[in-house]
Amino acid sequence: MSIIVITGAEQGLGLELARAYAVGGHEVVAGCLKPDTSDMRALSAEHKNVLVVPLDVTKEGSVAALADRFYNKSADVVINNAGVHFRKWSMPERVSFADWETTLQVNTLGAARVSFALRESLARSGNGKLVTISSDWGSISNHPGTAYDYCSSKAAVNSVMRGIARNWSSDGICVLMIHPGWMRTTMGGADAPLLPGDSAANVKKVIDLAGPADNGRYLDNLGNDMPW
Ligand SMILES: NC(=O)c1ccc[n+]([C@@H]2O[C@H](COP(=O)([O-])OP(=O)(O)OC[C@H]3O[C@@H](n4cnc5c(N)ncnc54)[C@H](OP(=O)(O)O)[C@@H]3O)[C@@H](O)[C@H]2O)c1
């Protein structure tokens, strides 16, 4: 039984990851911007090993409150899943700079804030895994030519996580960045080919199989290397 922390757990991939780990018998701490939804009530009623906690990754106090729950305790897997993606299909030059800032706040700084706050708990695990749900749109070499805001936020979070991978390996922490695939979620839209439950099963397998030699890798949901 491991202790798993998931951010942005109230819908989409985060919800399915929470469900998958709960079914596997793990203790799940599900961080939610809106914790009191019918989905989260149902999940925690069905699985006593799920603890739903309020979490806004952009707020210092909210992340500190999460870290306080882990004072002197270990966290085995921390999954930075919370993400936003605004105005996906408009001309990229018409990006709203306010939305861009929010995107960086959530996708990049939010992931860094949660990671830094839980570093000691991950280290206490002995073989902690710090996982960031990135995107194929975080690849610089394969930039899709749209969504400057979202793409830069994912490329930046990849950069931050590579830095963490260098610095935290001495604590036995394995850092992974995973592209979950194009999923049928609020973010991915109705045309996406992949159900979030199927992606969650794949992502969980990649995490389960990862060991120290995988520290710092950027992978797809089948464990293949993504182009940087
Ligand atoms: N969908 C895709 O095709 C796709 C492809 C590549 C990568 N990804 C990545 O996969 C991850 C999950 O995406 P998804 O498709 O499941 O998206 P989603 O359905 O839109 O869910 C995103 C989750 O993040 C939460 N969130 C947003 N801002 C937050 C904040 N400040 N603090 C805490 N939680 C916050 C949302 O809360 P609310 O429910 O309250 O809004 C929501 O629960 C994201 O990192 C995304 O970038 C998705």
Side-chain angles (χ1 to χ4, degrees):
M1 194 270 296
S2 297
I3 299 172
I4 319 293
V5 181
I6 303 169
T7 71
E10 74 254 44
Q11 60 164 311
L13 179 66
L15 176 60
E16 296 304 332
L17 283 169
R19 202 189 310 280
Y21 278 103
V23 167
H26 300 289
E27 210 172 297
V28 176
V29 177
C32 298
L33 202 51
K34 302 183 204 88
D36 194 26
T37 63
S38 54
D39 278 336
M40 294 321 288
R41 282 197 298 274
L43 186 72
S44 53
E46 191 181 345
H47 300 284
K48 298 300 170 210
N49 48 339
V50 175
L51 176 67
V52 179
V53 300
L55 178 67
D56 183 339
V57 300
T58 68
K59 300 279 189 296
E60 303 276 345
S62 181
V63 174
L66 174 71
D68 281 352
R69 292 176 184 275
F70 284 90
Y71 180 70
N72 268 340
K73 291 190 195 151
S74 60
D76 300 298
V77 180
V78 173
I79 306 180
N80 288 308
N81 165 78
V84 292
H85 185 187
F86 298 104
R87 291 173 34 133
K88 287 172 260 218
W89 307 115
S90 55
M91 283 177 62
E93 290 76 12
R94 290 198 189 145
V95 64
S96 148
F97 282 83
D99 285 351
W100 196 338
E101 279 186 26
T102 304
T103 304
L104 291 167
Q105 285 289 348
V106 177
N107 298 2
T108 310
L109 306 189
R113 183 175 289 114
V114 169
S115 304
F116 296 168
L118 292 177
R119 176 184 182 168
E120 281 176 25
S121 298
L122 276 165
R124 205 169 282 120
S125 162
N127 58 352
K129 293 176 184 174
L130 173 63
V131 180
T132 295
I133 303 302
S134 182
S135 172
D136 52 347
W137 285 15
S139 166
I140 290 175
S141 58
N142 269 358
H143 198 293
T146 184
Y148 298 143
D149 50 354
Y150 182 79
C151 292
S152 62
S153 75
K154 293 295 189 178
V157 81
N158 283 353
S159 171
V160 173
M161 293 300 151
R162 281 288 288 200
I164 291 177
R166 285 186 78 122
N167 292 332
W168 296 8
S169 60
S170 54
D171 288 335
I173 298 169
C174 173
V175 178
L176 301 173
M177 293 134 270
I178 303 180
H179 165 51
W182 182 22
M183 302 174 292
R184 213 172 303 161
T185 61
T186 301
M187 185 184 294
D191 295 334
L194 187 59
L195 293 176
D198 293 336
S199 174
N202 289 347
V203 167
K204 180 174 179 299
K205 203 166 163 186
V206 171
I207 298 169
D208 288 347
L209 292 174
D214 298 304
N215 184 35
R217 287 179 76 192
Y218 172 34
L219 303 167
D220 69 13
N221 70 19
L222 297 176
N224 302 305
D225 283 300
M226 293 288 298
W228 293 99

